[in-house]
Amino acid sequence: MKIDPSFIWTALVQLLSAIPTTLVITAVSVTAGFVIGLITALLRIYKVPVLGQIATGYVTFIRGTPMLTHLLLIYFGLPMLLDALSAQFGWGFKSSSIPMIGFAFISFSITAGAYMAEVIRSGLLAVNRGQLEAAYSVGMTTPQALRRIVFPQALAVSLPNLSNSVIGMLHGSTLAFTVSVVEINAKAQIVASTNWKFFEAYLAAAVIFWGLTLLIERITAVIEKRINLYNRGGVA
Amino acid sequence: MIKLTHISKSFGRHQVLKQIDLTVEKGEVVVILGPSGSGKTTLLRCVNYLEKPSDGEIAIGDYRLSCKHASKKDIHQLRQKSAMVFQQYNLFKHKTALENVMEGLVVVKKLPKEEAKTRSIALLEKVGLGSKLDAYPSQLSGGQQQRVGIARALALEPEVILFDEPTSALDPELVGEVLAVIRKIAKEGITMIVVTHEMGFARDVANHVVFMDGGVIVEEGPPAELFNHPKEERTKQFLKRITPELNYSI
Ligand SMILES: Nc1ncnc2c1ncn2[C@@H]1O[C@H](COP(=O)(O)OP(=O)(O)OP(=O)(O)O)[C@@H](O)[C@H]1O
Ligand SMILES: [Mg+2]
């Protein structure tokens, strides 16, 4: 068996068409995950009764189980739940009308939410309490203080870890192929299935993922430079 | 006028403030002295409601609040009557000197940006930082940061400004510039409560000196009286310890 370098290129070109799917899955899971993570982190930090405990349970369960398991649980569990509810309340809704990618969106958002909750929580905890007190002392309400003073600083602190989460979700999006979503990895398999040149196809996929990862790192570096302007003279 | 009535505060079972009563007239500068752990910081923080008093009543201007039944809205109202200058400055790290001063004006007082900016620049000039408008806190010396802190407090035009050891985190050579600014605004008739260990400052600037120990006000009076003729044993001992050259007869 010999490597066919030209097929790497052929595969690469064909894989390009799957990039949008991968990016959409990543973008949706990261965006929804950020919102879920922020809410979860706040519930835990403020020790909100009941909801705070639920948030903690959610984080430990999700982080304690594989991302593939989340996807499978959602894929098999959600339709059962929805169909049961639908029958109960006569919604006339069938779970089979959910597109496959929808399961990936939902499950990966849940995964990302738990990981990002921890990142955001540690970012929030890293902001000196004096900052919040200063905000109160100038008369801000808690939401104003969080939005204007605490969040921007927490975001700056969390940026490297958030970037890691984004990269993690990008790579994790390959799992979507188990529910028949054709993202980059699944596309590589399809491309190679005609001539069995799997190595070349997956190598091409690797190159694309690497490129996308470098891109995310570049973007992070640019944002970091901009928002960390105020930290000049800090340790970093 | 500020009137604290029976302010108490406990942390767990440790009662830090025991039924403090204190009245501060408009335009007065009150200096609070006392040994470490006597509750000075806690008292100031209670006035700004950064610490919730366990009991008592706080009246600032025409606003009165009974601490036991304070709602979120009441607290928010009360906080706007006072401003705090912190020992560790606590400037908003991600904002420039100018933005630090503007923040409260724009977000809380809802002033138009331009007006807030003009006012903030004037205040920063007043504290001698007209050339540092765009500097971030990390680019300023401790003394400069504290002067921004003072400008930020002044901007809100509160009924009272609370200073918690405003110079004790500073290098000795920077203390003077900050005290000079505080003296200047004291002369303008701004009501202030100042916790400090700067005895010279207390003597010159205070209208009224309060000595606290163990969560109670042990003695209070005009500075000349309290420094030269302290009545209470504990006051004498404290003054003797921090200003040995004055030689109080105990
Ligand atoms: N958040 C807190 N939790 C528990 N105890 C506290 C807390 N804050 C203050 N205390 C206690 O309350 C007492 C008074 O503290 P406070 O900071 O008011 O003293 P202080 O007079 O300002 O002292 P210093 O001169 O050292 O600043 C101390 O015994 C301190 O340990
Ligand atoms: Mg103190």
Side-chain angles (χ1 to χ4, degrees):
Chain A
M1 175 109 191
K2 263 183 35 201
I3 295 179
D4 177 356
S6 71
F7 187 66
I8 300 176
W9 178 251
T10 315
L12 196 74
V13 173
Q14 293 194 46
L15 291 188
L16 295 179
S17 67
I19 291 181
T21 308
T22 292
L23 290 183
V24 167
I25 296 175
T26 309
V28 168
S29 57
V30 164
T31 310
F34 185 83
V35 175
I36 298 172
L38 182 60
I39 295 168
T40 308
L42 288 174
L43 289 174
R44 292 187 73 187
I45 287 178
Y46 280 98
K47 300 199 171 69
V48 178
V50 189
L51 291 177
Q53 275 100 335
I54 293 175
T56 305
Y58 158 66
V59 171
T60 42
F61 176 73
I62 295 298
R63 283 168 36 109
T65 45
M67 187 168 166
L68 179 58
T69 309
H70 310 154
L71 180 59
L72 295 174
L73 287 176
I74 290 292
Y75 181 68
F76 290 109
L78 192 63
M80 279 199 285
L81 179 72
L82 288 178
D83 287 338
L85 287 174
S86 175
Q88 179 84 22
F89 299 104
W91 291 339
F93 166 88
K94 275 208 164 47
S95 64
S96 52
S97 64
I98 303 175
M100 288 302 178
I101 202 168
F103 292 104
F105 287 162
I106 294 170
S107 127
F108 294 169
S109 298
I110 293 172
T111 311
Y115 283 93
M116 292 174 110
E118 285 304 272
V119 171
I120 294 169
R121 193 168 75 106
S122 67
L124 289 171
L125 293 177
V127 177
N128 191 320
R129 190 164 171 84
Q131 296 288 313
L132 186 64
E133 294 190 340
Y136 284 147
S137 82
V138 303
M140 288 191 207
T141 60
T142 304
Q144 284 172 335
L146 288 178
R147 205 170 53 224
R148 302 209 36 109
I149 306 301
V150 178
F151 288 166
Q153 292 184 31
L155 200 63
V157 178
S158 319
L159 199 68
N161 287 327
L162 285 175
S163 165
N164 281 339
S165 297
V166 175
I167 293 169
M169 291 319 292
L170 171 74
H171 297 172
S173 72
T174 49
L175 294 173
F177 90 97
T178 50
V179 294
S180 318
V181 173
V182 183
E183 43 64 64
I184 294 172
N185 218 41
K187 183 78 180 178
Q189 193 176 18
I190 294 167
V191 167
S193 61
T194 49
N195 57 8
W196 291 76
K197 291 185 176 167
F198 286 105
F199 179 73
E200 289 81 349
Y202 284 130
L203 197 60
V207 169
I208 293 180
F209 276 115
W210 192 23
L212 291 174
T213 303
L214 290 178
L215 187 69
I216 294 171
E217 282 170 350
R218 281 298 318 146
I219 294 172
T220 309
V222 171
I223 301 177
E224 206 169 356
K225 210 165 155 192
R226 277 196 51 179
I227 65 178
N228 275 334
L229 203 64
Y230 67 83
N231 267 338
R232 266 185 319 218
V235 210
Chain B
M1 189 179 95
I2 297 131
K3 196 165 156 64
L4 308 181
T5 317
H6 292 334
I7 295 291
S8 295
K9 172 72 187 173
S10 299
F11 291 107
R13 290 171 56 199
H14 177 31
Q15 190 170 8
V16 176
L17 297 178
K18 298 167 186 159
Q19 306 233 339
I20 300 269
D21 291 312
L22 181 66
T23 305
V24 180
E25 301 296 338
K26 198 167 167 55
E28 218 177 19
V29 177
V30 172
V31 166
I32 303 182
L33 307 174
S36 181
S38 55
K40 308 179 298 288
T41 297
T42 308
L43 182 63
L44 280 195
R45 288 168 60 85
C46 282
V47 176
N48 202 218
Y49 236 90
L50 292 175
E51 218 69 77
K52 185 186 182 329
S54 321
D55 201 2
E57 199 181 272
I58 301 175
I60 305 182
D62 48 10
Y63 197 79
R64 268 168 64 148
L65 182 147
S66 158
C67 300
K68 265 200 173 140
H69 315 105
S71 71
K72 263 197 180 141
K73 209 172 139 231
D74 296 334
I75 294 169
H76 185 237
Q77 288 278 336
L78 182 81
R79 278 210 183 107
Q80 304 205 14
K81 305 280 176 191
S82 62
M84 187 94 161
V85 174
F86 297 88
Q87 188 173 4
Q88 302 296 339
Y89 333 128
N90 290 353
L91 295 186
F92 303 129
K93 285 201 323 183
H94 61 308
K95 295 192 177 284
T96 62
L98 179 59
E99 287 166 348
N100 261 277
V101 181
M102 283 174 65
E103 186 70 11
L105 294 178
V106 175
V107 178
V108 180
K109 305 264 176 198
K110 311 280 182 210
L111 244 59
K113 263 233 166 83
E114 276 314 306
E115 195 183 334
K117 191 169 171 180
T118 320
R119 266 170 67 173
S120 302
I121 292 174
L123 283 165
L124 282 165
E125 276 166 357
K126 183 170 179 175
V127 300
L129 291 173
S131 61
K132 295 284 184 186
L133 301 180
D134 295 323
Y136 285 97
S138 64
Q139 299 167 318
L140 296 172
S141 74
Q144 291 169 336
Q145 288 188 57
Q146 193 58 298
R147 285 185 279 150
V148 176
I150 294 170
R152 178 173 72 180
L154 279 171
L156 305 163
E157 299 182 337
E159 301 264 347
V160 57
I161 301 185
L162 312 164
F163 294 82
D164 187 15
E165 303 198 27
T167 58
S168 65
L170 295 174
D171 291 338
E173 72 268 24
L174 301 177
V175 169
E177 66 188 50
V178 173
L179 288 184
V181 167
I182 302 177
R183 274 172 211 267
K184 183 162 142 190
I185 60 175
K187 284 212 187 81
E188 292 172 9
I190 292 181
T191 315
M192 323 198 280
I193 305 179
V194 188
V195 172
T196 183
H197 293 297
E198 297 289 334
M199 289 304 138
F201 173 83
R203 277 174 171 275
D204 306 350
V205 183
N207 307 108
H208 191 81
V209 181
V210 173
F211 173 67
M212 277 180 76
D213 193 11
V216 296
I217 293 179
V218 175
E219 188 169 353
E220 57 182 308
E225 199 169 303
L226 196 117
F227 283 116
N228 301 331
H229 311 289
K231 292 191 190 67
E232 299 290 328
E233 216 40 47
R234 276 193 280 178
T235 321
K236 288 181 194 168
Q237 276 173 13
F238 174 78
L239 291 173
K240 185 170 179 167
R241 211 169 57 242
I242 55 168
T243 50
E245 71 276 10
L246 291 178
N247 228 332
Y248 294 96
S249 52
I250 301 181

